[in-house]
Amino acid sequence: MLDLKFIQKNPEKVQEALRKRRVDLNIQDFLALDEKRRSIIQEVEALRRQLNAQSKEVAKLKSKGEDASNLVDELSKISDKIKKLEKEKKQIEKELFDFRARIPNILAPDVPEGDDEKDNVEIKKWGEKPNFDFEPLPHWDIGTKLKGLDFERAAKLAGSRFALYFSWAARLERALINFMLDVHTREHGYVEVLPPFIVNSQTMFGTGQLPKFEEDLFKLEGWDYYLIPTAEVPVTNIHSNEVLKEEDLPIAYTAYTPCFRSEAGSYGKDTRGLIRQHQFNKVELVRFAHPDKSYDELELLLSHAETILQRLGLHYRVVVLCSGDLGFSAAKTYDIEVWLPGQNAYREISSCSNFEDFQARRANIKFQPKNSKKKEFVHTLNGSGLAVGRCLVAILENYQQKDGSVRIPDALVPYMDGVSIIKP
RNA sequence: GGAGAGGUGGCCGAGUUGGUCGAAGGCGCUCGCCUGCUAAGCGAGUAUAGGGUUAAAACCCCUAUCGAGGGUUCAAAUCCCUCCCUCUCCGCCA
């Protein structure tokens, strides 16, 4: 959510951001409505002032035992008028709020302009693509041949876009979760959190999933409950409606959760394998930062996510999302894309974003600066550290051997009870 | 699921025959004074949002906010309705 005053004072900046994001919204419509709102407020408040003052007169007259019926009649008319105007005002405010809730965040100045993911800009690469003296297989072939992944039975249980893990695969998924959490808590200073996997609509609003993206979520029928699409949602909202201490910043949380996404509108995309599932596991990193430091913290966050891939010896690149590909709430986002030889492509495995005060304003998360009376909104950041299922995919595809076996990266061997290779 | 109690400012806590309550009192905090010592005392201040004023801000003025929303009334923290949350007891359950 953008600050109302910011929109009023910088309509051209907001319009420019909308244009760069390829979003068709006209800020002039918003401003006209806001103008109307202010004129009604002025009228209402003048009337109310009169009403308040004269109501006291009534009280005085009555306490003296005098008749006040004339005055009461007159005030009754004013009161009616106020009620009518209040109704109108409420309607306009609702429209303004709905409008504002659908305006995406403004962009960081260094976000490249572009239409979609084709215009994202690669900023670095780490490691090398592995060489194979055979044709590398996609992970769904590797995983099913090794009897670790079973998509057919998963479909029987729940439908498409679900997976069933057995034996070494289930263990590997769990190993990855523990490995990631250990690195982030022991080495990167994050506090581990285990949040609810179901949240209410207020919480979904706080991080920007609602009202605009309801169709991406799973909602529980008959309840104001949604399955979380990412740990970002419950973890960022931990401090909603709170005032944090400046000296406590930055606050850093890491959380493992399953993530649930409807994947509406992705029909036909990534239909095979683990890449795009209705349910997947993710270890998330969330930071609450001082506004002056949030972009430094974004670099830090990115490096924390990268560490995991480096320890696993997986080749990746980092891209900056262009304006047209940037998420609704984010001001700037880095995607980490891991190399998948089985698909001969880089695929997103982490997305690290600075939301500046956009989520903080929605969720009302402030801090009290030491040298100012005025409370300010914190900046929120988050990033995957990492998507666990896709990480398992990357291991299978990058560490596959000619004989169909898969090596386990050294860093994970202790988490696999010493198993260093998965054999047919 | 059944029965009961309750939600007031940073915290504690008054206030329910509607009016002088944005709200007593206490604590905490901030600033100043005083004090030969990290105390006590004295004084002042101490919410958020919106509107107006301003080049902008501070100040100032106004309006709203006593869990949320709606209603009654000239007027509601106080009355009525709906919802949410917390606590206690019983039941059930991992």
Side-chain angles (χ1 to χ4, degrees):
Chain A
M1 182 94 74
L2 296 179
D3 181 25
L4 178 60
K5 292 216 170 80
F6 178 84
I7 301 173
Q8 288 168 347
K9 287 174 189 165
N10 306 280
E12 69 296 329
K13 280 188 190 166
V14 177
Q15 194 68 64
E16 175 68 356
L18 288 167
R19 186 190 66 73
K20 283 188 177 172
R21 281 179 178 269
R22 317 305 192 231
V23 171
D24 186 27
L25 270 182
N26 190 346
I27 282 299
Q28 290 309 319
D29 296 343
F30 180 86
L31 293 178
L33 206 55
D34 186 52
E35 195 58 47
K36 196 167 171 195
R37 168 184 144 266
R38 289 216 295 272
S39 79
I40 289 179
I41 284 175
Q42 289 177 38
E43 197 178 344
V44 167
E45 291 193 349
L47 287 171
R48 198 179 289 283
R49 186 179 179 179
Q50 187 188 350
L51 185 74
N52 287 346
Q54 297 196 303
S55 285
K56 286 179 186 168
E57 295 296 317
V58 173
K60 272 185 201 162
L61 288 174
K62 290 212 166 168
S63 68
K64 285 188 219 156
E66 292 176 26
D67 175 51
S69 56
N70 282 345
L71 192 49
V72 167
D73 285 350
E74 197 184 320
L75 292 183
S76 175
K77 283 177 198 149
I78 294 177
S79 181
D80 286 346
K81 201 168 174 186
I82 290 175
K83 272 179 193 152
K84 208 187 269 175
L85 285 168
E86 284 282 7
K87 229 170 232 175
E88 200 180 338
K89 185 182 128 204
K90 204 166 255 185
Q91 176 58 29
I92 289 176
E93 281 178 341
K94 186 181 178 312
E95 284 175 41
L96 280 169
F97 182 85
D98 290 348
F99 196 117
R100 196 151 65 102
R102 285 160 198 277
I103 299 175
N105 202 356
I106 51 159
L107 308 164
D110 56 347
V111 169
E113 185 171 346
D115 294 329
D116 52 40
E117 68 274 7
K118 290 190 300 295
D119 298 318
N120 294 343
V121 177
E122 180 181 307
I123 58 163
K124 73 162 122 169
K125 274 186 171 152
W126 184 91
E128 302 282 338
K129 294 180 187 173
N131 289 314
F132 295 96
D133 57 358
F134 59 96
E135 187 64 30
L137 298 172
H139 67 276
W140 53 84
D141 285 341
I142 305 166
T144 48
K145 276 183 184 160
L146 289 171
K147 298 189 174 16
L149 296 177
D150 187 338
F151 294 100
E152 287 180 19
R153 288 198 177 98
K156 189 169 67 177
L157 298 178
S160 66
R161 296 206 186 288
F162 286 94
L164 185 57
Y165 291 60
F166 287 104
S167 64
W168 62 266
R171 180 62 187 260
L172 182 55
E173 183 92 0
R174 181 156 59 90
L176 281 165
I177 292 165
N178 286 332
F179 167 66
M180 291 175 192
L181 288 172
D182 283 350
V183 171
H184 295 314
T185 54
R186 290 174 183 162
E187 301 177 34
H188 297 151
Y190 287 80
V191 173
E192 185 171 346
V193 175
L194 183 62
F197 302 160
I198 297 174
V199 299
N200 58 30
S201 54
Q202 181 60 46
T203 298
M204 284 293 182
F205 179 84
T207 29
Q209 279 73 23
L210 290 180
K212 212 181 161 189
F213 304 99
E214 177 150 27
E215 67 278 8
D216 296 339
L217 303 170
F218 284 115
K219 186 175 195 309
L220 298 199
E221 192 175 343
W223 296 78
D224 181 33
Y225 281 157
Y226 296 84
L227 301 183
I228 57 169
T230 158
E232 161 194 352
V233 175
V235 176
T236 303
N237 281 286
I238 286 173
H239 294 299
S240 66
N241 297 311
E242 290 184 16
V243 180
L244 305 171
K245 288 186 192 143
E246 186 174 29
E247 63 265 30
D248 289 342
L249 300 177
I251 294 172
Y253 293 129
T254 184
Y256 151 72
T257 71
C259 304
F260 303 92
R261 299 186 183 179
S262 75
E263 293 296 342
S266 67
Y267 307 112
K269 262 195 225 167
D270 304 313
T271 50
R272 301 197 68 183
L274 287 174
I275 291 293
R276 195 173 296 276
Q277 300 274 294
H278 285 312
Q279 175 190 321
F280 63 95
N281 294 309
K282 185 155 58 69
V283 169
E284 186 75 0
L285 305 171
V286 174
R287 301 181 74 86
F288 299 83
H290 191 287
D292 296 345
K293 305 205 175 104
S294 65
Y295 279 95
D296 293 338
E297 298 240 345
L298 178 61
E299 300 301 319
L300 193 64
L301 179 67
L302 174 66
S303 76
H304 294 156
E306 285 183 67
T307 299
I308 302 296
L309 286 172
Q310 291 172 8
R311 296 279 172 87
L312 296 174
L314 293 166
H315 167 57
Y316 65 87
R317 64 173 189 166
V318 178
V319 301
V320 187
L321 297 196
C322 74
S323 56
D325 199 28
L326 198 61
F328 177 77
S329 304
K332 183 178 180 180
T333 297
Y334 292 116
D335 271 7
I336 304 177
E337 299 182 339
V338 71
W339 176 248
L340 298 182
Q343 298 165 52
N344 198 37
Y346 288 101
R347 292 306 301 255
E348 175 189 339
I349 196 165
S350 173
S351 194
C352 300
S353 305
N354 184 358
F355 301 89
E356 298 192 4
D357 63 4
F358 190 84
Q359 293 180 329
R361 184 170 293 105
R362 287 179 158 239
N364 189 25
I365 310 168
K366 294 183 173 174
F367 73 101
Q368 178 65 64
K370 279 227 174 78
N371 44 20
S372 150
K373 280 192 93 170
K374 193 93 178 146
K375 297 172 181 69
E376 286 182 52
F377 289 110
V378 299
H379 282 193
T380 60
L381 302 93
N382 69 59
S384 345
L386 308 161
V388 179
R390 288 189 180 184
C391 203
L392 186 137
V393 166
I395 289 170
L396 294 187
E397 297 197 4
N398 282 280
Y399 284 93
Q400 60 183 304
Q401 312 290 305
K402 198 169 188 173
D403 63 0
S405 65
V406 173
R407 286 203 303 117
I408 297 297
D410 293 344
L412 287 180
V413 171
Y415 290 89
M416 292 292 286
D417 266 353
V419 172
S420 60
I421 189 158
I422 309 297
K423 290 181 179 161

